[in-house]
Each structure stands twice: as C-alpha cells, then as structure tokens.
C-alpha cells in the first residue's frame, strides 16, 4: 500500500467523497472545506508537486483542467465563478505531496481564500 494518502484515495484504499472520476483523474471533497464548494482534483499518477510535471504530463494536466470545468458545471459554480488553486511546496503551503488542485467556490472569495 502506498504511503501517499492521495494515492490511497485514488486506489480506493482509503475512503473519500468522490465527485468525479475518469481514467486519469479523480476528484473528491476536501475534508476541511474553506468554502461551500471545496473539491480536490488530482491526477491518479503520483506527481509530488507542480515542479515535477514534465512534457509527457502535458495531456494529463489538460485532463485535470477539463475535469475541473466539468465538476464546476456539475456543482453549480461554473456561472458564479470559482478558484482553482495549486499550492506548491513549503512556501506555497503544500501539505500533501501529491499534485492536487483545490476547486473552491460557492461564496465570494477574498485575496486569500
Ligand atoms: P495542500 O495544503 O494544498 O497540500 O492541501 C491539502 C488538502 O488536503 C487540505 O485542504 C486538506 O484538508 C485535504 N485533505 C487531507 N487529507 C484528506 C483526506 N483524507 N480527504 C480529503 N481531503 C484531505
Ligand atoms: Zn501519491
């Protein structure tokens, strides 16, 4: 079993509230939401952080982005707007070292979140 919690979620070895899944991407509700909509979108492939993305991941990152748009439509924030956030490494506030994007919305967001 992987010692990465997001790999475990992607492999269904750990429970989560999955809201979207396709071949390469999975998305689930953040356990500590900062807004009415707070979903984490991750590639199933383990990539530690954004700086580890390579040319060969270009399509995968595109798939993550397209998933974000679909999810935004499904949860009803595509019209009102939302934020898609990647925290990268220590200064960026990254805690879980598996590339992920926070889809946050459902309220007016300030300069932080
Ligand atoms: P980051 O600071 O960008 O690394 O964000 C990690 C996010 O993962 C935080 O918002 C946590 O609330 C969230 N999180 C951690 N463990 C879980 C989990 N098991 N299921 C859902 N969300 C999680
Ligand atoms: Zn992982």
């Amino acid at each position: 079993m992987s010692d990465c919690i997001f790999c475990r979620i992607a492999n269904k070895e750990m429970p989560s509230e999955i809201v979207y899944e396709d071949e390469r991407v999975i998305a689930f509700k953040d356990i500590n939401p900062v807004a009415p909509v707070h979903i984490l979108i991750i590639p199933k492939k383990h990539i530690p952080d954004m700086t580890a993305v390579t040319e060969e991941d270009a399509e995968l990152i595109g798939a993550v982005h397209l998933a974000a748009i679909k999810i935004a439509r499904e949860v009803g924030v595509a019209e009102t707007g939302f934020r898609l956030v990647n925290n990268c490494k220590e200064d960026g506030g990254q805690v879980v070292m598996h590339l992920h994007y926070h889809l946050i919305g459902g309220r007016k967001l300030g300069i932080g979140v």
Side-chain angles (χ1 to χ4, degrees):
M1 194 189 279
S2 170
D3 55 9
C4 168
I5 58 167
F6 286 0
C7 281
R8 272 192 242 154
I9 286 174
N11 294 332
K12 318 275 172 59
E13 295 162 354
M14 190 171 162
S16 69
E17 278 194 70
I18 296 168
V19 297
Y20 175 88
E21 182 171 12
D22 64 31
E23 272 171 31
R24 294 179 292 186
V25 178
I26 192 161
F28 47 93
K29 290 188 182 172
D30 195 296
I31 37 159
N32 190 19
V34 298
V37 172
H38 190 167
I39 292 162
L40 298 174
I41 306 169
I42 71 169
K44 289 181 177 175
K45 175 183 177 185
H46 181 85
I47 298 173
D49 64 71
M50 200 200 269
T51 67
V53 171
T54 65
E55 287 282 340
E56 72 172 33
D57 299 316
E59 261 191 56
L60 176 60
I61 299 305
V64 168
H65 206 113
L66 291 171
I69 298 165
K70 283 184 197 156
I71 296 162
R73 289 202 182 107
E74 266 165 38
V75 301
V77 297
E79 297 299 322
T80 49
F82 58 88
R83 194 169 283 164
L84 190 66
V85 176
N86 170 256
N87 296 326
C88 184
K89 296 184 176 173
E90 195 178 347
D91 281 1
Q94 185 179 4
V95 175
V96 178
M97 302 310 287
H98 179 130
L99 182 67
H100 57 278
Y101 297 83
H102 299 251
L103 173 62
I104 301 166
R107 69 167 167 84
K108 190 101 178 156
L109 301 168
I111 276 177
V113 286

